[in-house]
């Protein structure tokens, strides 16, 4: 009786681990989707209203979910401090402080940090193109994740259950 | 408030130096920042080398200019592309920041500026009550005359216009409070920040910020039905047409123009006609002989002098 219960708990625990990895992958994709929406909104504001970045960040933060809301608000607040830091520096610091560990893939964090260097320039057309290029890269990354996602989720589920079974067999 | 707004757009090092100078910011007129040149201020009507208190004048660096551009544009130069073309950006509080550098020309027209080497900040002053003495001459029966303020640059016409708008909007002993529409093309009258005027323009004032004057006047008439329309620095033919349209619609006009004297104004092509047709009922001529913004003379619709600064000036002005 005790063995059966132990086996059940081991299999349940490893299956749960597999499921949590799968949901982490789904969460990562959702975060990327939100990031894409957010960058699209920044691009629209630049194109149509030509609003300054601080104003755009505060406006978008009002209707954006976490972690992006805190990120945009802290970036806008840091822009008001005016301590000699360049915009690229402020952007990179805010991405590091607010988005690292928030569920985005590591390579996306690197690309997002680099985006700051192209923002705030003199030419609106250039600004729009920088954002367009980033959106294109982001869409490609999302496509790659989406293509592998189904297989990976199945694999995580299978591995979770099967590893539990293996441990039980080895223990018995 | 005035001090904070000025310091907020200056580079860190320059901010620190100005704090050490212990200035009265109400008397600060200009801050001139030129790459590799000493930091110059125009203070109480005189030039002042900032940083002297530390032994030698502060020499401005390229990094200072880069930092200042970041601040005046809120790290978003693209948002000020049109203003950059004209050579200046108006910052919060209505202070005008002039910029020079290498001009980018496209199809024979100025597209933008690059390699910016000089920045000149002209401090805007809000002087409450500076228009008090003018009201007996520009009102009749609690109503306003169509008034044109004439002045060379830097003689306080925008400051005077701002106070006139405030008092007309709130009402005073000479005039009942009226709804005033302000077309603030360069954000100098209201010093708007995110559409809200930072300067006091009165309780019945609607402001169109950053809007071309001619278009703005028509928009105001259609949307806000103002009793008085105020515009700064008119000069183009379309501005004059819009003013005539506004006058025909029953709005009283309050405007400013650059000129040294009535004679000079009459020589300007569009104004010659405007004066001839007696569109404006009062002309207020400003100067800076005794102080910035002193009234040299006031003229009626026939350009007859009805007020002079003092006897000695009478011969020159009237």
């Amino acid at each position: 009786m005790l063995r059966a219960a132990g086996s059940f708990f081991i299999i349940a625990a490893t299956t749960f681990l597999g499921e949590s990895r799968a949901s982490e992958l789904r969460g990562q994709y959702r975060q990327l989707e939100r990031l894409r929406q957010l960058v699209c909104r920044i691009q629209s504001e630049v194109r149509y209203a030509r609003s300054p970045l601080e104003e755009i960040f505060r406006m978008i933060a009002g209707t954006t979910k976490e972690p992006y809301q805190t990120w945009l608000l802290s970036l806008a607040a840091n822009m008001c401090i005016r301590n000699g830091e360049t915009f690229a520096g402020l952007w990179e610091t805010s991405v590091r402080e607010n988005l690292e560990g928030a569920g985005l893939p590591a390579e996306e964090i690197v690309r997002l940090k680099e985006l700051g260097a192209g923002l705030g320039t003199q030419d609106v057309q250039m600004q729009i193109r920088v954002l367009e290029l980033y959106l294109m890269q982001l869409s490609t990354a999302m496509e790659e994740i989406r293509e592998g996602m189904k297989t990976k989720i199945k694999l995580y589920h299978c591995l979770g259950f099967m590893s539990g079974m293996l441990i039980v067999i080895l223990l018995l | 408030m005035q001090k904070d707004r000025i310091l907020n757009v200056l580079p860190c090092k320059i901010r620190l130096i100005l704090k050490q100078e212990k200035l009265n910011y109400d008397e600060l007129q200009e801050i001139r920042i030129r790459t590799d040149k000493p930091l110059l201020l125009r203070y109480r009507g005189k030039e002042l080398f900032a940083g002297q208190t530390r032994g030698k004048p502060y020499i401005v660096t390229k990094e200072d200019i880069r930092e200042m551009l970041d601040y005046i544009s809120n790290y978003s130069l693209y948002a000020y592309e049109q203003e950059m073309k004209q050579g200046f950006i108006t910052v919060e509080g209505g202070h005008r920041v002039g910029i020079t550098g290498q001009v980018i020309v496209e199809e024979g027209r100025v597209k933008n500026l690059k390699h910016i080497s000089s920045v000149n900040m002209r401090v805007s002053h809000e002087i409450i009550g500076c228009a008090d003495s003018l009201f007996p001459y520009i009102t009749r029966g609690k109503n306003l005359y169509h008034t044109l303020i004439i002045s060379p640059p830097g003689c306080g016409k925008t400051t005077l216009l701002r106070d006139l708008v405030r008092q007309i909007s709130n009402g005073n002993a000479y005039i009942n409070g009226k709804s005033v529409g302000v077309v603030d093309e360069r954000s100098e009258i209201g010093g708007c920040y995110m559409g809200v005027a930072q300067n006091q323009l009165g309780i019945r004032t609607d402001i169109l910020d950053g809007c071309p004057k001619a278009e703005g006047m028509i928009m105001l008439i259609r949307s806000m039905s103002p009793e008085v329309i105020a515009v700064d620095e008119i000069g183009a033919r379309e501005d004059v047409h819009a003013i005539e349209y506004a006058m025909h619609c029953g709005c009283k006009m309050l405007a400013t123009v650059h000129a040294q004297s009535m004679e000079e104004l009459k020589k300007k092509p569009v104004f010659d006609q405007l004066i001839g047709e007696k569109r404006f009922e009062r002309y207020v001529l400003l100067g800076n002989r005794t102080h910035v913004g002193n009234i040299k003379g006031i003229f009626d619709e026939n350009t007859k002098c009805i007020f002079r600064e003092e006897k000695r000036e009478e011969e020159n002005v009237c």
Side-chain angles (χ1 to χ4, degrees):
Chain A
M1 183 63 189
L2 199 65
R3 279 183 179 180
S7 305
F8 172 76
F9 279 120
I10 288 171
I11 292 168
T14 52
T15 309
F16 176 75
L17 264 177
E19 173 52 32
S20 77
R21 285 287 294 157
S23 82
E24 204 176 286
L25 194 67
R26 279 193 291 262
Q28 213 171 54
Y29 189 77
R30 263 199 305 274
Q31 292 288 38
L32 286 176
E33 266 183 338
R34 282 183 196 146
L35 181 63
R36 186 166 63 178
Q37 280 175 7
L38 187 146
V39 177
C40 274
R41 289 183 63 190
I42 295 176
Q43 195 193 30
S44 310
E45 284 298 322
V46 170
R47 180 178 287 154
Y48 296 109
R50 308 214 165 167
S51 311
L53 291 169
E54 188 209 328
E55 196 181 314
I56 296 176
F57 295 155
R58 287 192 194 280
M59 200 184 72
I60 295 177
T63 52
T64 305
K65 288 183 180 166
E66 293 294 2
Y68 301 117
Q69 188 176 48
T70 312
W71 169 50
L72 292 176
L73 287 176
S74 81
L75 179 56
N78 288 340
M79 284 168 79
C80 294
I81 294 173
R82 301 185 169 183
N83 58 0
E85 182 71 280
T86 58
F87 179 75
L90 291 173
W91 173 275
E92 196 182 324
T93 311
S94 70
V95 170
R96 194 176 54 239
E97 285 174 355
N98 297 286
L99 297 182
E100 273 182 3
L104 285 170
E107 56 271 29
E108 204 47 59
I109 293 283
V110 173
R111 224 182 350 246
L112 196 57
K113 278 180 185 172
E114 288 166 358
L115 175 65
L119 295 179
T121 53
Q122 227 161 322
D123 182 8
V124 177
Q125 289 310 316
M126 169 77 173
Q127 199 72 149
I128 293 165
R129 277 186 204 131
V130 164
L131 290 165
E132 256 167 17
L133 179 68
Y134 177 74
L135 281 171
M136 215 168 68
Q137 289 170 336
L138 183 60
S139 298
T140 313
M142 284 174 71
E143 189 59 32
E144 279 167 14
I145 290 176
R146 204 174 59 84
E147 275 171 11
M149 207 160 73
K150 267 189 182 171
T151 328
K152 275 186 182 169
I153 287 172
K154 266 187 194 165
L155 191 72
Y156 287 143
H157 283 156
C158 264
L159 273 177
F161 180 74
M162 296 303 279
S163 59
M165 288 289 282
L166 184 70
I167 295 167
V168 168
I169 290 165
L170 286 175
L171 287 177
L172 288 176
Chain B
M1 190 76 157
Q2 171 88 326
K3 180 184 169 185
D4 292 341
R5 280 177 181 167
I6 296 167
L7 293 180
N8 203 27
V9 292
L10 295 175
C12 290
K13 286 178 191 166
I14 294 179
R15 212 182 297 163
L16 205 67
I17 286 165
L18 290 199
K19 277 181 186 170
Q20 287 167 350
E21 292 285 337
K22 295 188 174 66
L23 304 167
N24 174 5
Y25 285 82
D26 290 331
E27 293 180 273
L28 179 64
Q29 292 162 282
E30 276 181 7
I31 304 170
R32 288 190 177 267
I33 300 171
R34 300 179 177 105
T35 311
D36 299 331
K37 299 283 185 300
L39 172 64
L40 266 174
L41 310 178
R42 179 157 281 278
Y43 184 61
R44 292 178 174 158
K46 287 178 186 166
E47 260 189 356
L48 176 76
F49 287 94
Q52 294 277 38
T53 46
R54 302 190 324 168
K56 56 178 181 179
Y58 176 75
I59 304 295
V60 175
T61 62
K62 267 187 184 174
E63 188 54 23
D64 289 327
I65 301 266
R66 193 276 305 157
E67 205 182 320
M68 186 151 179
L69 284 174
D70 274 351
Y71 298 158
I72 58 176
S73 68
N74 281 321
Y75 298 94
S76 317
L77 276 172
Y78 66 86
Y80 298 91
E81 208 179 343
Q82 291 305 315
E83 287 91 334
M84 293 270 288
K85 250 186 227 181
Q86 294 183 59
F88 66 85
I89 295 175
T90 308
V91 296
E92 194 184 345
H95 311 302
R96 187 189 278 195
V97 182
I99 298 162
T100 58
Q102 192 179 338
V103 173
I104 307 168
V105 180
E106 197 178 68
E107 293 169 5
R109 302 188 75 173
V110 175
K111 191 187 175 201
N112 216 326
L113 288 169
K114 65 175 181 179
H115 304 310
I116 290 159
S117 55
S118 294
V119 178
N120 174 28
M121 184 172 178
R122 279 177 61 190
V123 179
S124 144
H125 294 287
E126 190 178 23
I127 303 174
I128 305 290
C130 68
D132 287 353
S133 60
L134 202 58
F135 273 94
Y137 301 96
I138 61 165
T139 54
R140 189 180 62 180
K142 301 263 177 187
N143 272 314
L144 184 75
Y145 284 121
H146 294 299
T147 305
L148 183 66
I149 301 166
I150 306 156
S151 152
C155 285
K157 63 186 170 316
T158 308
T159 309
L160 182 70
L161 179 70
R162 193 182 293 132
D163 197 50
L164 280 170
V165 168
R166 184 185 64 81
Q167 297 205 42
I168 293 165
S169 174
N170 289 340
N172 61 17
Y174 296 96
I175 193 163
N176 293 326
K178 294 187 184 299
S179 62
V180 185
V182 176
V183 188
D184 199 1
E185 188 169 3
R186 292 162 189 154
S187 305
E188 281 186 298
I189 306 172
C192 282
Y193 182 64
M194 293 175 85
V196 180
Q198 304 292 301
N199 293 324
Q200 295 180 44
L201 291 184
I203 58 169
R204 296 181 186 87
T205 303
D206 305 302
I207 184 157
L208 260 180
D209 186 42
C211 183
K213 285 181 279 281
E215 219 172 313
M217 280 186 260
I218 311 287
M219 279 168 75
L220 273 177
I221 292 165
R222 287 177 186 157
S223 59
M224 305 307 287
S225 57
E227 293 170 274
V228 178
I229 293 182
V231 284
D232 200 11
E233 293 182 19
I234 55 167
R237 199 168 289 276
E238 60 265 28
D239 296 345
V240 175
H241 289 322
I243 284 173
E244 286 173 343
Y245 177 76
M247 285 173 172
H248 285 135
C249 290
C251 297
K252 290 290 176 186
M253 278 307 306
L254 201 52
T256 73
V257 66
H258 276 151
Q260 295 276 354
S261 61
M262 282 302 290
E263 287 66 37
E264 191 184 311
L265 187 69
K266 281 177 193 167
K267 284 178 194 161
K268 294 190 176 189
V270 284
F271 289 97
D272 174 38
Q273 191 190 341
L274 211 60
I275 294 168
E277 290 171 3
K278 299 179 185 177
R279 297 280 185 205
F280 282 99
E281 296 160 301
R282 290 291 181 269
Y283 300 91
V284 179
L285 183 63
L286 298 185
N288 59 357
R289 200 179 61 85
T290 52
H291 61 276
V292 171
N294 77 307
I295 298 166
K296 277 168 81 177
I298 301 173
F299 304 83
D300 67 6
E301 66 269 37
N302 299 311
T303 66
K304 190 184 156 206
C305 185
I306 55 169
F307 168 85
R308 60 185 177 270
E309 186 187 5
E310 59 186 55
K311 250 187 175 171
R312 200 153 47 84
E313 285 282 297
E314 188 179 2
E315 290 156 20
N316 302 333
V317 175
C318 301

